[in-house]
Amino acid sequence: MEFLVWSSFALISAVNILTPGPAILNTIRRATQLGFKNVLPTIAGNTLGLAIAGAFCAGGVATFVLASEILWLTFRWLGVAYLAWLGIKLLTKHEEIVLDLGNTAKVPATKLFSEAFLLAVTNPKAVLFFVSLFPQVMDPAQPLVPQATILITTFCVISIASLTSYSALAALLRNRFITQARYTRFRRLSGCLLMGFAGKLALQ
């Protein structure tokens, strides 16, 4: 793969990743609640979800889904339903800040991981991004697996850097400004934003 092609893909990916969306919002919320170190399973879950979505797209699975209106609508509405469910949960369920950062029993790592993984793998925006860009940057005359590996790895590394930066900033603000009352208000705002993302996705 030519360096110019790869660098163009990396730049476009960075712009897409850095734009705040459900994954960033979820990571910031968890970092505010739990601190930086304890949010690493969230970043790992998001990364794995993106990697699987990218692999499916590179393998043509997503293209097949897009070609079938019923399958695409099913996938899209699954994403809408999960975002809406997560937003409703943030609006209705009480959640406390973990003051003792050594005590993460209230929020197991498996829950953080699965929450972020489902958010990433059911995000139609990521699938459409991969499907629209992969054919533009992959050379069919060259082996596709190495190219797909490079592109997916690049996207995931940029995503890790982005989520790590956002969560570190959130953890810093947590230590200085966040109280339980402010976290509750932020959580409700996050729920409203996720509901907004779900509504926007439903109307597209």
Side-chain angles (χ1 to χ4, degrees), residues 1 6 9 50-51 53-60 130 134 137-139 142-156:
M1 176 174 292
W6 173 81
F9 173 82
L50 290 176
F56 268 58
C57 293
F130 288 134
F134 279 0
V137 297
M138 295 178 71
D139 184 358
Q142 302 294 326
L144 296 181
V145 173
Q147 295 182 76
T149 301
I150 292 172
L151 295 176
I152 294 170
T153 301
T154 299
F155 193 90
C156 288

Side-chain angles (χ1 to χ4, degrees), residues 75-88 122 195 198 201:
F75 175 77
R76 187 165 70 90
W77 283 104
L78 282 175
V80 171
Y82 184 68
L83 283 176
W85 174 80
L86 192 58
I88 292 172
T122 60
M195 293 289 289
L201 184 59

Side-chain angles (χ1 to χ4, degrees), residues 7-160:
S7 59
S8 298
F9 173 82
L11 179 60
I12 296 173
S13 298
V15 173
N16 180 74
I17 290 169
L18 291 172
T19 303
I24 289 177
L25 184 61
N26 182 60
T27 305
I28 290 176
R29 177 179 65 88
R30 287 303 192 184
T32 303
Q33 179 197 12
L34 304 171
F36 176 71
K37 291 183 179 180
N38 295 322
V39 85
L40 296 180
T42 296
I43 299 175
N46 181 77
T47 303
L48 181 61
L50 290 176
I52 291 177
F56 268 58
C57 293
V61 176
T63 303
F64 171 74
V65 172
L66 287 172
S68 170
E69 183 177 357
I70 295 178
L71 288 177
W72 171 244
L73 286 175
T74 300
F75 175 77
R76 187 165 70 90
W77 283 104
L78 282 175
V80 171
Y82 184 68
L83 283 176
W85 174 80
L86 192 58
I88 292 172
K89 188 172 72 168
L90 293 181
L91 288 171
T92 59
K93 184 179 178 181
H94 178 71
E95 190 174 76
E96 294 184 0
I97 297 178
V98 178
L99 298 177
D100 180 7
L101 295 182
N103 177 20
T104 58
K106 292 183 178 180
V107 188
T110 52
K111 179 179 180 179
L112 297 174
F113 182 90
S114 60
E115 177 183 71
F117 174 80
L118 288 174
L119 201 58
V121 82
T122 60
N123 185 1
K125 177 185 173 184
V127 173
L128 288 174
F129 179 84
F130 288 134
V131 169
S132 62
L133 243 66
F134 279 0
Q136 311 302 323
V137 297
M138 295 178 71
D139 184 358
Q142 302 294 326
L144 296 181
V145 173
Q147 295 182 76
T149 301
I150 292 172
L151 295 176
I152 294 170
T153 301
T154 299
F155 193 90
C156 288
V157 168
I158 296 174
S159 179
I160 291 172

